[in-house]
Amino acid sequence: MKIRIGHGYDAHKLAEGRRLVLCGVEIPHTLGLLGHSDADAAVHALMDALLGSLALGDIGMYFPPSDAAYKDADSVELLRLVYGIVKSNGYELGNADITIIAQAPKLAPYIEQMRTRLSDALNTESDNISVKATTEEKMGFTGSGEGIACHAVVTVTEII
Ligand code: MG
């Protein structure tokens, strides 16, 4: 069985008047992420990890910000499309591990909901989806609250 890995990274700026959506879950907060779509940096990192696992480029190639179709798009819907590309290339998800780096708000109460949302979208067991949150101890742009960053690592396995 062939196994491949992929990594993705994304960061978005926090701004007033925006919803905060991470891993497809809306989180009550005074600020939200700024971007063309819903700016779900965690799902963007996950999509880039999936594409990266098969050397299929990055989400900017498939969903260019210049395309009005993706304005305010639900990133989980884009994730379903990306996963379709992965499967049409003969691979399926093994597991995913996501790290969200945010000074605030506290994300622990939303982690299980995030895992459920992503495992539903990827048609897999929730124990194949790990979501973790950390701060950077008030250092850098996540620490100052300027933005939120996310990393994702996935394995994909050949569909036999
Ligand atoms: Mg992004």
Side-chain angles (χ1 to χ4, degrees), residues 54-130:
L54 296 176
L56 291 171
D58 61 61
I59 53 172
M61 290 168 49
Y62 297 86
F63 313 115
S66 56
D67 190 331
Y70 305 116
K71 183 160 168 38
D72 300 323
D74 176 352
S75 294
V76 171
E77 291 308 313
L78 305 183
L79 173 64
R80 288 182 210 274
L81 298 176
V82 164
Y83 192 43
I85 295 168
V86 168
K87 284 194 287 190
S88 70
N89 277 270
Y91 281 79
E92 64 188 357
L93 182 74
N95 69 297
D97 187 16
I98 296 165
T99 302
I100 302 169
I101 306 162
Q103 192 64 42
K106 281 262 170 279
L107 298 175
Y110 306 98
I111 296 290
E112 285 314 307
Q113 211 182 326
M114 292 175 178
R115 294 176 65 208
T116 301
R117 185 88 210 276
L118 295 181
S119 57
D120 285 352
L122 296 170
N123 197 22
T124 189
E125 310 291 323
S126 68
D127 66 0
N128 290 326
I129 307 287
S130 159

Side-chain angles (χ1 to χ4, degrees), residues 12-42 44 70-77 104-105 107 113 117 148:
H12 281 260
K13 205 179 252 190
L14 283 161
E16 284 178 6
R18 292 277 304 178
R19 296 184 308 142
L20 178 60
V21 182
L22 289 166
C23 295
V25 175
E26 187 164 343
I27 296 153
H29 193 44
T30 52
L31 303 170
L33 292 174
L34 195 59
H36 184 65
S37 64
D38 61 9
D40 187 333
H44 294 182
Y70 305 116
K71 183 160 168 38
D72 300 323
D74 176 352
S75 294
V76 171
E77 291 308 313
L107 298 175
Q113 211 182 326
R117 185 88 210 276
I148 288 177

